[in-house]
Amino acid sequence: MLLLACPLFAKAETSGDTLDRILEALADDPPSHIDFRETREDPLLEFPETRTGTLVFEPPDTLERRMDGDGGERVRIEGRQVVVERRGSSREVDLDEQPGLAAFAALFRSLAKGEREGLEEHFEVETEGDLEAWKLELTPRDRALRRMILGLELRGEGDALLRLDTEESGGRHSRMQLDPRDGD
């Protein structure tokens, strides 16, 4: 979506200050609905898979991912509970039993709330750019999670997260293009 020029991503001299400014901007009146388009690549698939949906954040700690289409699903994280609804069935999971899912929930909650501590608890964070055009590279701290997710790259401008790339083990990769302006 947005490919930014290399000079804009020179390492920030005060990455901590830059990270704080980015988180503060993201938390200042975050959108409650964010439309997305996700493309997943997997060596086991002949072609990339593309899906659309909406992310919904309800303060203080509810996050929901709704997938469009016939194979749509809904994943709702509320507090420490996760409810997964798919094809007419529902399943509940305790976040304490799913460290990977807990880290992803913490990621989005931390971004929406501007909580640096929550973000850094689960990820090592590298910051590039400035508030106008930024990139965050996240590496999971948890060893078990690192076996599944090698890294995350978030790109945005100002108070808008625009792209989330996830590199998974086994050569899998996903790119989520976010449109917070349309979803609100």
Side-chain angles (χ1 to χ4, degrees), residues 28-149:
D28 185 29
D29 193 28
S32 59
H33 292 74
I34 301 173
D35 293 331
F36 69 86
R37 177 183 180 92
E38 180 180 44
T39 302
R40 296 187 52 79
E41 296 179 18
D42 187 319
L44 300 176
L45 297 175
E46 186 175 355
F47 300 105
E49 174 186 63
T50 300
R51 304 187 308 174
T52 60
T54 304
L55 296 175
V56 179
F57 179 68
E58 299 171 14
D61 65 354
T62 300
L63 179 67
E64 186 172 309
R65 176 182 162 144
R66 300 175 188 159
M67 300 300 291
D68 297 334
D70 294 337
E73 67 181 27
R74 186 175 115 169
V75 178
R76 183 175 179 86
I77 303 170
E78 190 167 0
R80 303 300 303 161
Q81 288 300 119
V82 180
V83 177
V84 179
E85 296 176 2
R86 187 179 299 143
R87 296 184 185 107
S89 65
S90 180
R91 175 173 71 111
E92 283 192 36
V93 178
D94 188 327
L95 267 185
D96 295 325
E97 298 171 8
Q98 299 289 325
L101 193 52
F104 265 105
L107 166 66
F108 283 103
R109 287 175 177 164
S110 295
L111 293 175
K113 293 179 177 183
E115 293 177 347
R116 181 184 183 134
E117 298 79 24
L119 186 64
E120 290 180 332
E121 176 183 344
H122 295 281
F123 299 96
E124 294 177 24
V125 182
E126 290 288 327
T127 307
E128 293 185 28
D130 58 24
L131 189 57
E132 295 302 312
W134 49 267
K135 177 170 78 170
L136 302 178
E137 293 180 2
L138 308 178
T139 304
R141 292 187 184 275
D142 181 74
R143 184 178 297 155
L145 181 57
R146 276 196 315 263
R147 284 188 220 126
M148 296 181 301
I149 298 172

Side-chain angles (χ1 to χ4, degrees), residues 163-179:
R163 193 172 93 196
L164 169 63
D165 292 344
T166 305
E167 184 181 355
E168 300 175 39
S169 62
R172 293 180 300 276
H173 180 268
S174 72
R175 171 165 289 164
M176 184 181 283
Q177 303 285 133
L178 302 153
D179 191 354

Side-chain angles (χ1 to χ4, degrees), residues 22 24-31 131 134 156-161 180-181:
I22 292 167
E24 182 178 305
L26 289 172
D28 185 29
D29 193 28
L131 189 57
W134 49 267
E157 293 180 347
D159 65 351
L161 172 61
R181 293 172 195 90

